[in-house]
Every structure is written in structure tokens, then in C-alpha cells.
Amino acid sequence: MATAETMETVKTVSSSKKKSQSFRKHEQATAFWFIFPAIALLLVFVFYPMLQAFLISFKNYSLVGAGDVFVGMDNYVHLMKDRAFFNSLKHSFYFALIVIPIQTSIALGLALLIQKKTATSGLFRTLYFIPVIISTAVAATVFKLIYNKEFGILNSVLKALHMPVTSFLSDPKTAMNGIIVLGIWKGAGFFMIIFLAGLNNISPDLYEAARVDGASRIQQFVKITLPLLNRTMAFVVIMTTIDAIKLSGLVFVLTNGGPNSSTETVVFYIYKQAFTQMRMGYATAAAFVLFAIVLTISLIQMKLFNKDTD
């Protein structure tokens, strides 16, 4: 009798396992069909074009004419000797080094200001976020008028303060700074929202306990807010770095890379090589070099922030 009951139990367990495995396989198949459209779109519109672009980077490829000659590593070799390419990289990194700390600090400061719910907090959140939704072309055009030497608001203010006026975008020494101001104004609102989400995930009980222990607001910020915002900070810094290095739209509208190529960023340089000089193979090689640089920087940043978290 005991043996029969044992056998029946084994059969029941075995049947239950088979049903569980069958359900799991069915669940996996259902999940695959849900993600299949996204995978197909990525393969067709992202990975396949990337593969084709990588192959083009080894060719003397032109959008016009019959130029489609395999040249091996020549594009990459010439790129390493191209002073204009390295100057464009320098301009991009200068923009990034200035924008990353300033924009991140402003975004975090704005998030702290609007975190507390008041009658006007919703209004200020909207006002701070408006620059993000404004078209790049529109924002750049408006700032171009602001910087105008003859009738711009900036020079009007300088005149009122009895200071010398300047042709802000026509001077190689100040043109990139004008783009930096616009870039910070345009992007700070987006990262403000990211920081606000991070701040809202911090338990108020921690601040309450710190106040009971006599911690000041600065001590609470340094000991509680910053450590618990580490992952949010990592996301903001990495995304800001990527956005800063691939800057092109603001440059295109504001200065078109001038004056004297002082604002020609690396992405704008790639655009010129591909669509102005029709050197698509050379431009694609530059794009992959930039991809490698951005990937390396992002991995280093992730490693540093993960180390801080540990």
C-alpha cells in the first residue's frame, strides 16, 4: 500500500513538473513574440545600417559618382593625421568639460528647489522644462538674435552697464561660450526632472532622523542626498557627456562651425565630410572613431560610479 501511494505521489510530482515546464515554455514563447517586433526593427533600422556603415568606412565611398573602392585602413590612417578632425574633437571636449559640471549642478539645484510641493511648484516645473520642448532650431535662432551685435539684448544690457559691446558669435574666443550657454539653458530642465525623480525616491524618514540628530541642511545634503543620488547622478553625467560630445544642431544654426572653425564640433565635422564634401567613407570612419571614444568614456564613468556605490 505504501509503495502504491509513493508511486502515485511520484507520478503527481512528475506530472506537476511537466505542466510547469510546459507553462514556462509557453510563457517564453509568448514573451518572444511580444519582443519580436522590437528586435526586428532594431535589426533592420539599427544593426544592419551600422554593419553597412562599418563596411563603408573601409571604402572610398561617395554619395555621388561611381566611387566605391575598397581602401582598407586608409581612411582611419588619414584620420589620425587630420588636424581638422582633432581640432573638432578638442572643441567637443571643451564643450563637454564646461557643460557637464555646470549643467548637472543647475539641474540638481532646480530639482531641490521644486521638490517641495507648494502652490507654485507646478508652475515653476513647467517654466524650467519649457526650454527642453522648444525646437533646437527655434532656440538657436532666438539666441542668435540675443547675441546680435547691433540690436541684441545682450549688447543692450552691456550698453546700459557702460561696458563695451561685443560681436559674441563672430569672435573665435567667445563663440563657443555662446553655444555653451544655450546648451545649458536647453538641457538643464530635462535632467532636473531626472534628479527630481531620484529625490522623490529618498525616504523622508532619513531626513527626519538626521534632523533629530542635529544635522544641518548641508550635512543632510552631503551625507544623505548625494550618496543616495549616486545612480541618478551616474545616469545624468553619462547622458550629458554623450549629448555634449555629439553636439551639432546648435552649432549648425548658430555659427555653422565658424568663425574660423572655432566652433566646429566633431559631429559637425563628420556632417561636413559626408554631405558637403561627399566623402562618405571618410566620414563614416570618423563616426566609428567617435563611437569608440564615447563608448570608452561611458564605460570609465560607469566603472567610477559603481566603485563609489560599492
Side-chain angles (χ1 to χ4, degrees), residues 254-268:
L254 272 179
T255 62
N256 200 35
N260 298 328
S261 299
S262 62
T263 60
E264 185 176 273
T265 58
V266 64
V267 175
F268 188 76

Side-chain angles (χ1 to χ4, degrees), residues 23-247:
F23 177 76
R24 199 169 295 168
K25 287 181 179 179
H26 178 73
E27 199 174 46
Q28 290 174 349
T30 304
F32 171 78
W33 287 111
F34 270 112
I35 65 173
F36 177 75
I39 294 174
L41 289 172
L42 284 172
L43 288 173
V44 173
F45 294 107
V46 178
F47 295 112
Y48 177 73
M50 282 182 67
L51 176 61
Q52 288 297 316
F54 185 66
L55 295 176
I56 287 172
S57 71
F58 296 102
K59 297 178 180 180
N60 183 15
Y61 188 90
S62 176
L63 290 176
V64 294
D68 190 3
V69 181
F70 182 79
V71 294
M73 296 295 293
D74 283 1
N75 286 330
Y76 291 94
V77 172
H78 292 157
L79 199 63
M80 294 300 103
K81 301 175 183 178
D82 191 342
R83 182 175 295 180
F85 173 69
F86 284 102
N87 284 336
S88 68
L89 272 176
K90 183 179 72 174
H91 299 150
S92 293
F93 281 118
Y94 173 77
F95 180 89
L97 288 172
I98 301 298
V99 166
I100 291 169
I102 296 177
Q103 182 173 276
T104 302
S105 300
I106 292 174
L108 179 56
L110 293 175
L112 290 168
L113 286 174
I114 63 173
Q115 183 187 14
K116 188 176 180 181
K117 292 184 179 180
T118 62
T120 58
S121 61
L123 173 63
F124 282 105
R125 289 183 190 185
T126 304
L127 291 175
Y128 295 149
F129 192 74
I130 282 176
V132 180
I133 61 176
I134 294 176
S135 165
T136 299
V138 171
T141 302
V142 171
F143 268 73
K144 197 171 184 178
L145 295 174
I146 292 173
Y147 293 145
N148 188 278
K149 184 177 181 180
E150 303 300 328
F151 52 82
I153 296 175
L154 177 62
N155 280 315
S156 297
V157 173
L158 292 176
K159 286 179 183 178
L161 297 173
H162 303 289
M163 296 175 66
V165 298
T166 179
S167 185
F168 213 55
L169 297 178
S170 299
D171 187 347
K173 296 179 180 178
T174 58
M176 182 56 80
N177 295 329
I179 297 174
I180 287 172
V181 172
L182 173 54
I184 293 172
W185 177 81
K186 186 93 172 61
F190 173 77
F191 294 109
M192 172 196 73
I193 298 299
I194 303 299
F195 274 126
L196 185 61
L199 289 170
N200 288 335
N201 283 330
I202 300 175
S203 174
D205 295 339
L206 296 173
Y207 294 105
E208 184 65 31
R211 281 193 291 270
V212 170
D213 290 339
S216 65
R217 287 185 178 272
I218 295 177
Q219 290 174 323
Q220 292 174 36
F221 178 75
V222 173
K223 299 294 185 180
I224 299 175
T225 306
L226 284 181
L228 294 179
L229 279 180
N230 187 278
R231 294 188 181 278
T232 305
M233 187 73 72
F235 173 80
V236 169
V237 170
I238 292 170
M239 292 304 298
T240 304
T241 303
I242 295 171
D243 288 345
I245 294 176
K246 67 183 183 67
L247 172 75

